[in-house]
Amino acid sequence: MKKYIAIVLLIFTLCACNQNKGDDGKVRRFTFAISSSVKLPSNLNINDTSIEIEVFKLNDKAFLIIDAPGNYNFEDVLTTLQKNNSSVLVLLESLSPLERVYKLDQEHEYTPLEGQLISIQENTKKYVLTLEIINDPELKKEYKRVHGKGMAWPEITANMKEVGIKDMEIYWEGYQAYLIMDTKMDFDFATDGEKWSTLPRESEWQEYVAKFQKVDPQSKAAEKWQTMILQK
């Protein structure tokens, strides 16, 4: 009898885990840009392990990432935070999830309120970087188009994989772009970034996208984006 109960409990636990993960071990990602004038809650932790909250900062900018179960939308996130009396709830009620303009190997497009379906990356490092886009509506429209589904140059996608980038996303708020990059554990901007710049069509691509970016047109990809720091 005890053995039977143990088996039932194990099955229940596994089902609960799968329900939390949803969509075959994937998560729904919601991102937010936070200005320096907004006071962040001192404690972002919640008593619900199905939701992970991270904040990355650089100078007067903050970027918040919420990874929720794969079957959640933004309303589900807010409901969960409300149940947990989370201090971040008030902050999120005044913000809107950001639009994603690029993903490595993007197969589907989702609205910010649906959340972005992300495969969980094992044994990787996460980088969050930011870059300012030139304040021009037409250029911004073109930037979105050239980063859209099916528009990435195949050589550029191959180059990222060659240097150990497992996944990459770009979100934006106004004219500020935020990049999330999952890499191999031993990825190094100095060595891998140098190799990256020499790969096929890479310099051509960097020269092309420079017209959108408030950076030195001659800069390499690893030099253009500023690294944001995870707050612990």
Side-chain angles (χ1 to χ4, degrees), residues 88-194:
V88 78
L89 177 62
V90 176
L91 173 64
L92 292 189
E93 286 178 330
S94 66
L95 298 172
S96 297
L98 301 184
E99 180 182 3
R100 186 176 71 189
V101 296
Y102 174 78
K103 186 183 188 305
L104 189 66
D105 294 329
Q106 180 164 251
E107 297 178 359
H108 304 284
E109 293 179 324
Y110 302 94
T111 68
L113 293 178
E114 288 175 318
Q116 308 304 324
L117 195 59
I118 306 293
S119 297
I120 297 171
Q121 297 292 327
E122 302 291 344
N123 301 315
T124 57
K125 287 196 296 187
K126 180 188 288 181
Y127 292 91
V128 173
L129 307 104
T130 188
L131 175 149
E132 190 175 355
I133 299 170
I134 292 172
N135 191 335
D136 181 307
E138 291 305 313
L139 279 178
K140 182 176 179 180
K141 205 180 296 183
E142 186 181 351
Y143 182 88
K144 180 180 179 180
R145 183 186 64 79
V146 300
H147 285 84
K149 179 183 173 184
M151 297 300 292
W153 297 3
E155 297 91 344
I156 302 308
T157 300
N159 293 348
M160 288 191 279
K161 294 177 180 179
E162 172 73 17
V163 297
I165 296 172
K166 307 294 185 181
D167 201 1
M168 181 186 285
E169 303 172 88
I170 299 176
Y171 295 83
W172 65 11
E173 193 273 329
Y175 289 92
Q176 194 72 31
Y178 296 89
L179 184 150
I180 303 172
M181 187 168 75
D182 294 302
T183 72
K184 62 182 182 179
M185 290 299 294
D186 61 347
F187 183 87
D188 177 76
F189 270 110
T191 55
D192 292 303
E194 185 61 35

Side-chain angles (χ1 to χ4, degrees), residues 7 14 30 49 54 78 105 117 150 180 193 204 212 216:
I7 292 173
L14 290 173
F30 305 86
T49 56
E54 295 178 310
L78 293 179
D105 294 329
L117 195 59
I180 303 172
E204 182 184 349
F212 304 108
D216 179 353

